[in-house]
Amino acid sequence: MVAPGSVTSRLGSVFPFLLVLVDLQYEGAECGVNADVEKHLELGKKLLAAGQLADALSQFHAAVDGDPDNYIAYYRRATVFLAMGKSKAALPDLTKVIELKMDFTAARLQRGHLLLKQGKLDEAEDDFKKVLKSNPSENEEKEAQLQLVKSDEMQRLRSQALDAFESSDYTAAITFLDKILEVCVWDAELRELRAECFIKEGEPRKAISDLKAASKLKNDNTEAFYKISTLYYQLGDHELSLSEVRECLKLDQDHKRCFAHYKQVKKLNKLIESAEELIRDGRYTDATSKYESVMKTEPSVSEYTIRSKERICHCFSKDEKPVEAIRVCSEVLQMEPDNVNALKDRAEAYLIEEMYDEAIQDYETAQEHNENDQQIREGLEKAQRLLKQSQKRDYYKILGVKRNAKKQEIIKAYRKLALQWHPDNFQNEEEKKKAEKKFIDIAAAKEVLSDPEMRKKFDDGEDPLDAESQQGGGGSPFHRSWNSWQGFNPFSSGGPFRFKFHFN
């Protein structure tokens, strides 16, 4: 329950001149009410005082139906409408009150205030002037004079705004319109005019805000929905663009511009949705092709080119095509140097290419713009570990394979190098020692990279064969000797030798 007087307080803050209806007295005989109407009015007054607006409105509806000539019923219903924020519904009731009782200054003053909010300045001024001529109370007279001064000021500002707009001085026009719309908050035409100024000034999101308000203030405002849709489209927000143009077609299914725009947005939206589904399924090549189609479908809006390249960059990175990823990501970053997604994807591609310094730089730049992104933080830590690791022993370099090499490639490279560097191939003692060391490194690389668990540790920057890395310090970085490797066959998939190879 709302305490009595709370509705009074709320309405008074919005309409300071309002004579609150819970305190309004009337004479049943004067209004010609019957007992049922009187009962509805009395109950409605109590519900209004208690803040039960919907129930109060029902009572006043019944009172109006019971006596269509009862100005008090219309006035109280108008008050409930205003308390509910339904000014459009309140205005006809206030007009009916004035028709039924010309000298009801409270209703006229209230209607004038609503007209002023709607930007109907001439009509509002007419009401305020008639209040002053109708023997008003002291408060009503003071309020009417105040509103007249305000209305005159709005007339002057509107004239200045229109002159500035005609002179293409959109900044000045916006300044004037800002002041007007503080008072004429429900003026759809002025909001549409300010939206045009925002568009000219390159502030589409502010224009959208005004146009959305105008679409609600004016019935069947297809033009506002069309403009909102095209603005979202230019911003690259195809989903909101599609939603708004559908609202236009709901109002007028034969609207030519809305229908033509709808077909274009729908086609683009379908391509993008399809591409994103392919990415979720890991079909990166097909997704890349879809995004190339997006750029061909809408070549004139740069936002779609940038977003498409950003996603293509992501696809190449995830598909472990680092050269292509670096190229496309770099194109995106030339247009948007602070694009975090492109920075992350290029950093991942740099890691595959073992360009650790470049990866670290991209991750650090991305972190500056999104310091709470865990993926960036983990990527940066990994890049730093890999850089440090690359300064020691790099198993990929030992075997001469890429970081994204398949197991078959690793085994093939190992067999070739093991055959080449097997110590039995060398007779010279110094060369034999060099070959033994090389063979140990080759065998170690094969052991790590052919084992999924060990390879993952190495890819994360940890050497699984490094005693210091595993135990936190101490020991040789690689403690196996040549003798310990003599039990392994370089031409098997792993496991001990079944015989010893000797080369003549």
Side-chain angles (χ1 to χ4, degrees), residues 26-41:
Y26 69 95
E27 295 296 332
E30 179 188 346
C31 299
V33 296
N34 56 40
D36 286 338
V37 171
E38 184 177 353
K39 181 179 178 182
H40 288 308
L41 289 172

Side-chain angles (χ1 to χ4, degrees), residues 107-253:
R108 192 178 290 279
L109 192 56
Q110 191 169 328
R111 187 178 71 170
H113 198 276
L114 290 179
L115 292 168
L116 182 59
K117 282 178 174 287
Q118 290 181 346
K120 297 177 180 179
L121 303 180
D122 292 336
E123 295 176 49
E125 286 185 3
D126 184 60
D127 269 345
F128 297 140
K129 288 175 181 177
K130 285 181 178 177
V131 167
L132 293 174
K133 294 177 181 178
S134 62
N135 193 28
S137 68
E138 184 179 343
N139 286 338
E140 288 173 337
E141 181 179 4
K142 183 178 179 182
E143 182 62 29
Q145 289 175 339
L146 180 65
Q147 296 302 315
L148 267 177
V149 171
K150 189 179 290 185
S151 182
D152 287 342
E153 175 68 7
M154 295 305 105
Q155 295 275 26
R156 182 182 64 80
L157 288 170
R158 175 182 279 181
S159 178
Q160 289 176 314
L162 292 172
D163 289 343
F165 183 82
E166 290 298 322
S167 303
S168 300
D169 188 354
Y170 304 114
T171 302
I174 289 170
T175 300
F176 294 131
L177 289 167
D178 286 346
K179 294 177 181 178
I180 301 172
L181 286 167
E182 287 178 5
V183 176
C184 306
V185 291
W186 300 329
D187 191 322
E189 283 75 16
L190 290 183
R191 288 196 177 275
E192 289 174 341
L193 181 63
R194 189 169 68 174
E196 283 299 313
C197 294
F198 282 136
I199 292 170
K200 297 289 186 182
E201 289 292 290
E203 296 187 82
R205 294 199 180 278
K206 290 183 178 180
I208 288 171
S209 179
D210 268 342
L211 289 168
K212 282 190 172 183
S215 71
K216 295 174 182 176
L217 291 167
K218 188 191 296 183
N219 293 331
D220 300 334
N221 198 342
T222 55
E223 188 64 22
F225 284 117
Y226 173 73
K227 286 183 179 180
I228 294 168
S229 180
T230 56
L231 287 171
Y232 274 133
Y233 187 78
Q234 294 293 325
L235 289 168
D237 200 328
H238 53 97
E239 291 178 333
L240 283 176
S241 178
L242 186 60
S243 174
E244 294 296 333
V245 77
R246 280 174 174 159
E247 292 299 318
C248 174
L249 292 173
K250 283 180 185 177
L251 296 172
D252 181 3
Q253 62 182 2

Side-chain angles (χ1 to χ4, degrees), residues 251-460:
L251 296 172
D252 181 3
Q253 62 182 2
D254 297 322
H255 195 290
K256 290 183 179 180
R257 287 189 298 166
C258 282
F259 186 69
H261 185 59
Y262 169 75
K263 289 195 296 183
Q264 173 71 4
V265 183
K266 188 178 179 182
K267 180 180 179 180
L268 195 72
N269 191 64
K270 188 175 180 181
L271 281 171
I272 294 172
E273 285 182 346
S274 177
E276 288 302 308
E277 186 175 346
L278 289 167
I279 290 176
R280 287 191 292 272
D281 292 342
R283 297 169 59 188
Y284 300 115
T285 302
D286 292 336
T288 296
S289 178
K290 285 288 183 184
Y291 270 115
E292 287 171 349
S293 296
V294 170
M295 290 189 285
K296 291 176 184 176
T297 300
E298 186 46 88
S300 60
V301 180
S302 61
E303 190 65 26
Y304 293 105
T305 299
I306 296 172
R307 296 287 79 79
S308 295
K309 288 191 173 185
E310 178 187 320
R311 298 306 281 161
I312 291 171
C313 146
H314 177 74
C315 289
F316 280 141
S317 180
K318 291 300 179 185
D319 207 22
E320 296 190 339
K321 295 179 179 177
V323 175
E324 294 90 337
I326 291 168
R327 173 179 57 80
V328 179
C329 292
S330 297
E331 290 176 5
V332 175
L333 290 165
Q334 283 179 350
M335 296 179 279
E336 291 184 347
D338 301 334
N339 189 309
V340 173
N341 292 327
L343 286 165
K344 287 159 62 176
D345 286 323
R346 189 171 71 172
E348 288 186 24
Y350 278 141
L351 289 182
I352 297 173
E353 286 291 281
E354 301 174 13
M355 300 169 69
Y356 304 122
D357 288 320
E358 290 84 351
I360 289 170
Q361 184 176 345
D362 273 358
Y363 277 129
E364 287 177 341
T365 303
Q367 196 171 52
E368 289 174 7
H369 300 288
N370 194 347
E371 59 183 19
N372 296 321
D373 189 315
Q374 186 176 351
Q375 187 182 3
I376 295 173
R377 185 164 57 251
E378 290 175 353
L380 177 57
E381 291 171 358
K382 179 180 177 180
Q384 290 168 337
R385 287 197 305 270
L386 289 171
L387 175 62
K388 186 176 180 181
Q389 184 187 82
S390 70
Q391 295 164 351
K392 296 180 180 179
R393 176 172 45 199
D394 189 328
Y395 295 125
Y396 289 103
K397 286 185 178 179
I398 290 170
L399 292 183
V401 296
K402 293 287 187 181
R403 296 192 77 88
N404 59 347
K406 306 297 182 186
K407 186 174 181 178
Q408 298 92 316
E409 297 175 66
I410 291 167
I411 298 297
K412 183 179 178 181
Y414 162 69
R415 287 173 176 170
K416 180 180 178 181
L417 291 170
L419 180 63
Q420 178 185 347
W421 290 99
H422 196 288
D424 286 354
N425 287 339
F426 301 89
Q427 303 302 318
N428 181 282
E429 197 62 32
E430 188 175 332
E431 290 180 348
K432 196 177 190 70
K433 286 182 179 180
K434 180 181 177 183
E436 286 177 0
K437 183 179 183 305
K438 190 79 172 176
F439 188 85
I440 288 170
D441 286 343
I442 293 166
K446 183 257 184 185
E447 181 181 7
V448 170
L449 298 184
S450 62
D451 182 288
E453 188 175 339
M454 295 176 74
R455 183 176 181 178
K456 185 179 185 307
K457 284 185 178 181
F458 185 74
D459 286 344
D460 289 338

